[in-house]
Each structure stands twice: as C-alpha cells, then as structure tokens.
C-alpha cells in the first residue's frame, strides 16, 4: 500500500512539474510572438522613416542649390548695375556655373536612384496606403524642386551673359 501511495504522490508531482513546464513554454512562445510583432513594426517604421529622410535630405540639397544660384544671380545683377565688368570675376562666375551644372546633374542622378529605391521599398515593405501616397507625393515635390533648380541655373546663366555684355 505504501508503494501505491508513493507512486501516486510521484505521479502527481511529475504531472504538476510537467504542467508548469508547458505553461512556461506557452508563456515563452507568447513572448516570442509579441517580440516578433514589435520587431516587424519597428522594421516598418524604420523603412518609412528612412525613405522619408532620404527624400527630405535630397530635397534640402536641391533647395540649397537653387537658393545659392538665386543669390549669385542677384549679386551679378547688382554688380552689373553698379560695378562694371571685371574679367577675373566673370571667370570665377563661369567656373561656379560649370560646377553647378555638375552638381545639378549629380542631384538628378540621385533623384533617379532614389526613385528606384523607393519603388522597391513600396513593393517590399508593408506600407499603408496613406504612407505610400505620402512617399509618392514627396517624390513629386523632388521633381518640382529639380525644375526650380534648373530655372535658377538658367537665370544665373542669363545674369552671367548680361554681365559679360558689359565688357
């Protein structure tokens, strides 16, 4: 009889330990699922913010180029009206113009590369429709900024030609 009682007690203890292990395994699996969900959300947020950062950074570079060209155009106009012609200054402005053509071409190339990257991200990431539209809209703004920079470069060239005509 003692044997049966000892076996029953051992069986009850073993069952209780096994139940605790199953409960711990279930808790661990739930924790893993929770962490996986959080990791996926963080990856989604990172992908979106990374795309937005790259777009904003490129937009700022294009805007900076436009503003710089506009300032130089105004400077040339003021010098044309008040200072006369200086050959050395004209040559410096010509070099500046050539450098800005290269910079604008580089920015155009960067925009095209970013469009490719964004296209891939839109299909590989699980962005919401609102996020997709926001990124597409931001890319359209980049195109408009490029057009503005091209107009600023054209204005700079016109101011430079006007300055040259003072010679």
């Amino acid at each position: 009889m003692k044997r049966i009682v000892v076996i029953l007690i051992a069986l009850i203890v073993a069952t209780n330990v096994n139940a605790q292990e199953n409960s711990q395994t279930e808790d661990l699996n739930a924790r893993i699922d929770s962490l996986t969900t959080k990791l996926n959300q963080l990856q989604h947020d990172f992908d979106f913010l990374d795309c937005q950062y790259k777009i904003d950074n490129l937009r700022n570079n294009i805007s900076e180029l436009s503003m710089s060209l506009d300032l130089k155009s105004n400077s040339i106009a003021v010098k044309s009206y008040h200072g006369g012609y200086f050959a050395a200054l004209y040559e410096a402005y010509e070099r500046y113009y050539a450098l800005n053509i290269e910079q604008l071409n580089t920015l155009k190339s960067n925009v095209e590369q970013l469009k490719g990257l964004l296209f891939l991200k839109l299909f590989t990431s699980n962005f919401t429709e609102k996020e997709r539209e926001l990124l597409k809209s931001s890319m359209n703004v980049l195109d408009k900024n490029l057009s503005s920079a091209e107009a600023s470069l054209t204005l700079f060239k016109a101011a430079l030609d006007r300055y040259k005509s003072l010679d």
Side-chain angles (χ1 to χ4, degrees), residues 109-128:
S109 174
N110 290 348
V111 166
E112 290 305 314
Q113 290 173 1
L114 185 58
K115 282 181 180 179
L117 174 69
L118 185 63
F119 181 75
L120 289 174
K121 286 283 189 179
L122 287 175
F123 286 106
T124 59
S125 296
N126 57 345
F127 294 135
T128 64

Side-chain angles (χ1 to χ4, degrees), residues 2-13:
K2 283 185 177 181
R3 279 186 153 179
I4 294 177
V5 171
V6 171
I7 292 175
L8 283 175
I9 291 174
L11 191 60
I12 291 172
V13 170

Side-chain angles (χ1 to χ4, degrees), residues 21-112:
E21 287 177 4
N22 285 341
S23 174
Q24 287 175 348
T25 302
E26 289 173 6
D27 289 345
L28 185 59
N29 286 339
R31 181 76 175 147
I32 289 172
D33 290 343
S34 171
L35 290 175
T36 301
T37 302
K38 288 179 182 178
L39 180 63
N40 289 339
Q41 182 62 39
L42 286 173
Q43 182 64 46
H44 168 268
D45 292 347
F46 174 79
D47 286 344
F48 178 75
L49 291 173
D50 184 50
C51 288
Q52 195 63 45
Y53 169 77
K54 288 177 180 175
I55 291 169
D56 289 344
N57 191 34
L58 197 49
R59 187 182 66 236
N60 288 339
N61 289 342
I62 295 169
S63 295
E64 184 180 321
L65 174 65
S66 290
M67 287 187 282
S68 174
L69 285 167
D70 290 342
L71 285 171
K72 288 290 185 187
S73 296
N74 291 339
S75 174
I76 292 171
V78 168
K79 285 183 182 16
S80 295
Y81 293 121
H82 297 290
Y85 176 79
F86 297 102
L89 186 59
Y90 175 78
E91 289 173 10
Y93 282 140
E94 246 185 347
R95 286 190 302 272
Y96 183 77
Y97 175 72
L99 289 173
N100 281 293
I101 288 174
E102 290 177 25
Q103 185 177 5
L104 183 61
N105 289 335
T106 300
L107 289 170
K108 285 179 183 178
S109 174
N110 290 348
V111 166
E112 290 305 314

Side-chain angles (χ1 to χ4, degrees), residues 118 122 129 131-141:
L118 185 63
L122 287 175
E129 192 59 35
E131 290 169 332
R132 288 176 194 271
E133 290 303 316
L134 181 62
L135 290 174
K136 288 177 185 177
S137 172
S138 295
M139 287 303 293
N140 290 337
V141 169

